[in-house]
Amino acid sequence: MATSLVELRVLDGANLYFSRAAIKLTLDVSAIADAPAPAAKAYGQAIGLGATRPGRIGSGFRQRFAIRVVGHVVRRIAREAGIGRIGVRVRPESDVRRLVVAFPWAHEGRARALGAAIVEVLDAFGADDLSELIHTVGERVRDEPPGNPPPTLRPKVPVVAVTGTNGKTTTSRMIAHIGRAAGLHVGWSSTDGVYFDGDLVKYGDFSGPSGAGQVLSQPGIQLAVTETARGGILRRGIGVAYNDVSVVTNVSADHLGLGGIDTVDQLAEVKAVITQITRPRGWCVVNGDDPRTFAMRLGSPAKCWVFSRDPDSPSIRSVLDEGGRATTVLDGFVTVLDQSRDPEPLLKVVDVPMTLSGLSHYNVENTLAAASAALGLGLPRAAVIEGLSTFAPNENNPGRMNMYSLRDFTVVIDLAHNEAGLEALLEIMNGVRPDGGRLMLALGSPGDRADDMVATLGAMGARATDRIAIGHKSDYLRGRPPEELEAVFREGAASVGVDDVPAFPTELAAAQALVAEARAGDVVAVMSLQDRASLDGWLRSEGASVDTPETLKSKVERAQH
C-alpha cells in the first residue's frame, strides 16, 4: 500500500507554523479524499472524531474533513504518548489531496517517531480497531529515546533580521556599514556570502539558518545582521531564537509556485515570521507603503518603526498614534518622526550615494529602512549619517545598481531578479539617459521561475527599451533547457510587438553584444546574477570607470535638462 507521507521536514527554528522548532509533514490524503462518504465517516468515528459530514469525494469540503481527521490523529497519539497538550497546525494545499501538518518539537528523536506514528495511523485507513493501533503507536513514541534538542541559537549580541522580496541585501549591507561606522565589529550574512568587518569569510548563499550560525560564530562579533530569505524559512526555519530588530522591505510576486507558496499573501505570511520573534523591547521596521508588510506589525511583540517616502502617509499617522516611530523624507531630508518630539533631520536624500541623487525610489526606501533599524538598535545618530553618506554602490554593494561610464555611455549591473526589480532598474536607466540616448537591456532569469513571470519580464523589457537580448544564467537554469526560457521570454516580447530578441549563453556575452552596439548617450543594463565579477573585470579592461556619486549626480542632472 502506498504511504501517505510525501515529506517529513525538521524545522530547526521559527517557521511558518510556529515561533519555535517544528516538524512539518506533507501528506497525501488521497485515501480519505477519494473514499466513499460512508467509509470516510466510519474512519472519522473509528479514531474518535464523533459526528462528521465528510462531503463529496475530492471536494474542498472533503479536504476540510481530512484536516479535522489529521489534527485529531496527532492529538490522540500525543495523548497516548504522554505528551499532553500539543500545538498542531494543519493546512490545506492547492491540491485537495495534499495537506501539511506541523507540530513543535523539543527532542528530535521522539518528534520524528511521532511523525512516523501519524503516518502509520493514516495509512491504516479502513483497517479494524484503529483505537488499538493509536494506543500501540503512542506507546512506541513514549518509549523512543528523546534525541537532541533543537540547534536554535540564542544570540548574545544584538541581531537585525532583514527580509523582503526586493532590497534585503542592500538594506542589510547598509545596516552593517552603519554598524561599522559606529565602531562595532559586525558580521552579516546574505545571498552572496558571510562577511565579517567587510571581509568575505565564506562565499555562497547564506540567507538561511546556516548563515546566522556562521555570522554568530565569528570571534569578537558585536552586531549580527542576517538576511533572511523565503527559502531558508520554509526549508529549515530561522536559525536564531529571537532578534532585536526585524526589517521587512516589501512583498511582491517572486518564487511563487515553489514550496507550497502560490500567492503573494502566502509569501507575506512566510516573511512575517522574523517579525514574530522580535523581542518586545525591540523594533519591528516595516514599509508603510506596502499593505502586506505594514500589517505585520500587528503580529509582532515589538514596537513598530514604520518607513515611507510620504510624510503624510496614513501608515505614519497610525504608527505615531500607537506610540511608535517613523522615518520619512521631509523637505528633502531623511527625517525621524516621533509624536513626543520635533522632527529630527539626519541628512539630505541626495547626499546618500545609494539613492543615485534621489532618483532610485527603491533605494530611498532601503535608506529609510536601514536608518530606522540602526536607530532602533541604539546606534548613534552621527554613525547613521556617516554610514549612509559613505555607502557607495559599487564598492559596498556589488551587483546592486552598479554604474559605469564607458566611451560616453552608461552601463548598469543589477540583480533585478523579478518584476519589481526590473521596474526599479528601468527607473534608473531612464533617470540617467540624456536626450537621444537609447536603452539597451540584457534580460535573464533563473530556470525555476514561473512562465508567466518570465513572459512578463520579457514584455516589460521589450516595451520599455530600444533593444533587448537574453543573457542566460547558466549556473542557475536548475535543469531547465535554455531554449525553453528563450521561448517564454520571446513570447512576452512578442506580446508588445518586439520580435527580434537574440539569446546568448551567458550574461557577459549578452552584455558584450549590446556594448558593441552602444553609442554616446546610450544606457546598457544587465540583469546579473552570476557574472557580476567577470562583467566588472571586462568593463574595466575596456576602459570603463566606476561612477562616483558626483558623476551620478551630473548624469541625473544632465538627463533632467
Side-chain angles (χ1 to χ4, degrees):
M1 177 181 168
T3 178
S4 57
L5 180 65
V6 177
E7 180 188 54
L8 185 154
R9 186 170 286 278
V10 179
L11 304 173
D12 293 334
N15 52 78
L16 181 57
Y17 312 99
F18 295 95
S19 58
R20 54 198 177 103
I23 296 288
K24 173 196 170 190
L25 299 172
T26 303
L27 301 169
D28 182 334
V29 291
S30 295
I32 300 172
D34 296 335
K41 190 167 186 175
Y43 180 78
Q45 289 172 337
I47 62 171
L49 199 56
T52 58
R53 288 183 296 176
R56 261 188 321 107
I57 288 175
S59 66
F61 286 100
R62 180 63 68 88
Q63 188 183 41
R64 294 288 161 171
F65 166 76
I67 288 173
R68 284 190 65 200
V69 165
V70 171
H72 190 75
V73 166
V74 177
R75 292 183 182 92
R76 274 206 63 186
I77 297 173
R79 261 199 317 274
E80 293 287 349
I83 295 172
R85 293 186 66 183
I86 184 171
V88 182
R89 302 275 189 276
V90 190
R91 294 189 172 212
E93 292 213 333
S94 53
D95 181 344
V96 294
R97 290 167 177 78
R98 288 279 182 99
L99 293 178
V100 168
V101 60
F103 54 87
W105 64 277
H107 297 93
E108 186 175 344
R110 196 162 286 161
R112 284 182 176 273
L114 176 55
I118 293 163
V119 172
E120 188 172 340
V121 173
L122 293 175
D123 286 348
F125 182 87
D128 296 329
D129 207 357
L130 285 171
S131 288
E132 180 60 32
L133 175 60
I134 290 171
H135 176 71
T136 301
V137 298
E139 284 196 329
R140 194 186 308 149
V141 173
R142 185 198 299 260
D143 295 338
E144 183 74 21
N148 294 323
T152 317
L153 301 170
R154 304 189 74 82
K156 294 181 173 60
V157 299
V159 174
V160 183
V162 183
T163 195
T165 305
N166 295 85
K168 54 185 177 289
T169 299
T170 296
T171 302
S172 59
R173 286 171 172 170
M174 277 183 159
I175 295 166
H177 190 72
I178 294 168
R180 294 191 66 207
L184 300 178
H185 293 296
V186 185
W188 69 97
S189 58
S190 69
T191 47
D192 62 358
V194 175
Y195 293 79
F196 185 65
D197 283 350
D199 295 325
L200 179 65
V201 175
K202 203 159 189 179
Y203 176 76
D205 185 349
F206 284 94
S207 57
S210 62
Q214 294 272 350
V215 167
L216 289 165
S217 68
Q218 298 303 313
I221 188 170
Q222 294 172 299
L223 170 63
V225 184
T226 62
E227 181 181 327
T228 310
R230 166 210 63 90
I233 297 173
L234 289 172
R235 286 190 294 269
R236 291 268 311 278
I238 293 176
V240 295
Y242 45 76
N243 57 63
D244 297 270
V245 175
S246 53
V247 182
V248 189
T249 58
N250 51 50
V251 181
S252 62
D254 195 20
H255 297 286
L256 298 183
L258 301 175
I261 302 303
D262 300 312
T263 69
V264 180
D265 287 326
Q266 290 173 341
L267 184 62
E269 195 177 12
V270 175
K271 293 185 180 296
V273 172
I274 69 162
T275 67
Q276 294 159 7
I277 59 169
T278 307
R279 287 176 156 179
R281 65 172 183 268
W283 290 95
C284 167
V285 178
V286 293
N287 185 342
D289 299 327
D290 182 327
R292 292 183 178 90
T293 65
F294 186 54
M296 292 177 192
R297 79 195 194 286
L298 302 174
S300 177
K303 298 164 288 186
C304 180
W305 195 314
V306 68
F307 64 91
S308 169
R309 288 185 289 119
D310 177 9
D312 296 320
S313 167
S315 61
I316 288 182
R317 290 199 295 272
S318 296
V319 168
L320 293 181
D321 287 343
E322 293 164 5
R325 292 181 188 165
T327 309
T328 187
V329 179
L330 199 60
D331 296 335
F333 282 83
V334 175
T335 304
V336 176
L337 303 179
D338 186 319
Q339 200 84 294
S340 61
R341 63 188 75 170
D342 291 334
E344 183 180 6
L346 298 176
L347 75 170
K348 288 183 176 179
V349 169
V350 295
D351 291 335
V352 180
M354 202 60 220
T355 70
L356 309 183
S357 294
L359 175 67
S360 172
H361 293 152
Y362 282 92
N363 279 320
V364 172
E365 291 178 359
N366 294 337
T367 298
L368 300 177
S372 305
L375 293 169
L377 280 171
L379 298 184
R381 177 178 181 272
V384 176
I385 294 169
E386 181 187 341
L388 293 177
S389 61
T390 59
F391 187 83
N394 288 56
E395 180 187 345
N396 302 115
N397 205 24
R400 270 56 173 194
M401 294 297 178
N402 298 165
M403 303 187 74
Y404 301 79
S405 293
L406 175 62
R407 297 194 293 275
D408 294 324
F409 58 87
T410 297
V411 180
V412 189
I413 300 174
D414 187 67
L415 180 64
H417 61 297
N418 54 29
E419 294 157 49
L422 179 53
E423 184 183 325
L425 176 56
L426 292 168
E427 176 185 53
I428 296 306
M429 293 173 73
N430 276 299
V432 296
R433 171 176 60 169
D435 283 342
R438 298 174 300 163
L439 300 185
M440 309 170 78
L441 175 67
L443 283 162
S445 171
D448 59 358
R449 298 303 197 266
D451 280 0
D452 58 348
M453 178 179 161
V454 175
T456 299
L457 292 176
M460 287 174 66
R463 184 189 298 114
T465 66
D466 301 287
R467 186 89 171 98
I468 60 168
I470 299 164
H472 285 300
K473 306 174 190 307
S474 51
D475 294 345
Y476 293 87
L477 291 173
R478 290 158 184 160
R480 191 172 192 180
E483 299 80 16
E484 193 178 299
L485 267 181
E486 289 168 25
V488 181
F489 270 124
R490 288 179 176 134
E491 180 187 327
S495 72
V496 295
V498 176
D499 296 316
D500 180 21
V501 184
F504 298 88
T506 64
E507 297 165 352
L508 177 60
Q512 289 171 333
L514 293 178
V515 164
E517 293 182 33
R519 52 181 186 248
D522 289 349
V523 181
V524 179
V526 188
M527 295 169 64
S528 175
L529 175 62
Q530 72 178 48
D531 288 351
R532 181 196 60 77
S534 54
L535 279 163
D536 177 81
W538 176 73
L539 286 168
R540 291 173 189 265
S541 73
E542 290 289 302
S545 58
V546 173
D547 285 353
T548 64
E550 293 73 25
T551 306
L552 286 172
K553 195 169 185 178
S554 67
K555 284 185 177 182
V556 173
E557 288 171 350
R558 179 183 166 202
Q560 289 173 345
H561 288 94

